[in-house]
Short mmCIF file of all heavy atoms in Angstrom, two decimals:
data_model
loop_
_atom_site.label_atom_id
_atom_site.label_comp_id
_atom_site.label_asym_id
_atom_site.label_seq_id
_atom_site.Cartn_x
_atom_site.Cartn_y
_atom_site.Cartn_z
N HIS I 10 -6.62 20.81 11.24
CA HIS I 10 -7.26 21.38 12.44
C HIS I 10 -8.62 20.75 12.72
O HIS I 10 -9.33 20.34 11.80
CB HIS I 10 -7.44 22.89 12.26
CG HIS I 10 -6.13 23.60 12.13
ND1 HIS I 10 -5.43 24.04 13.21
CD2 HIS I 10 -5.35 23.86 11.04
CE1 HIS I 10 -4.29 24.58 12.80
NE2 HIS I 10 -4.22 24.48 11.48
N ASP I 15 -9.54 25.92 15.42
CA ASP I 15 -10.47 26.58 14.50
C ASP I 15 -10.94 25.71 13.34
O ASP I 15 -11.39 26.22 12.32
CB ASP I 15 -9.88 27.90 13.97
CG ASP I 15 -8.56 27.71 13.24
OD1 ASP I 15 -8.02 26.59 13.26
OD2 ASP I 15 -8.08 28.69 12.65
N HIS I 40 -4.12 24.72 16.73
CA HIS I 40 -3.42 25.91 17.18
C HIS I 40 -3.23 25.89 18.70
O HIS I 40 -4.23 25.96 19.46
CB HIS I 40 -4.20 27.18 16.82
CG HIS I 40 -4.35 27.42 15.35
ND1 HIS I 40 -3.29 27.83 14.55
CD2 HIS I 40 -5.42 27.32 14.53
CE1 HIS I 40 -3.73 27.98 13.30
NE2 HIS I 40 -5.01 27.68 13.26
N THR I 135 -10.47 32.96 13.39
CA THR I 135 -11.45 32.28 12.54
C THR I 135 -12.84 32.34 13.18
O THR I 135 -13.85 32.52 12.48
CB THR I 135 -11.03 30.81 12.32
OG1 THR I 135 -9.69 30.80 11.82
CG2 THR I 135 -11.95 30.10 11.34
N HIS I 250 -9.06 22.91 7.34
CA HIS I 250 -9.87 23.44 8.44
C HIS I 250 -11.35 23.05 8.33
O HIS I 250 -11.99 22.80 9.33
CB HIS I 250 -9.83 24.98 8.48
CG HIS I 250 -8.59 25.59 9.05
ND1 HIS I 250 -7.40 25.63 8.38
CD2 HIS I 250 -8.36 26.20 10.24
CE1 HIS I 250 -6.48 26.24 9.13
NE2 HIS I 250 -7.04 26.59 10.26
MN1 LIG E 2 -6.31 28.19 11.57
#
Side-chain angles (χ1 to χ4, degrees):
H10 297 272
D15 59 352
H40 296 288
T135 306
H250 282 75

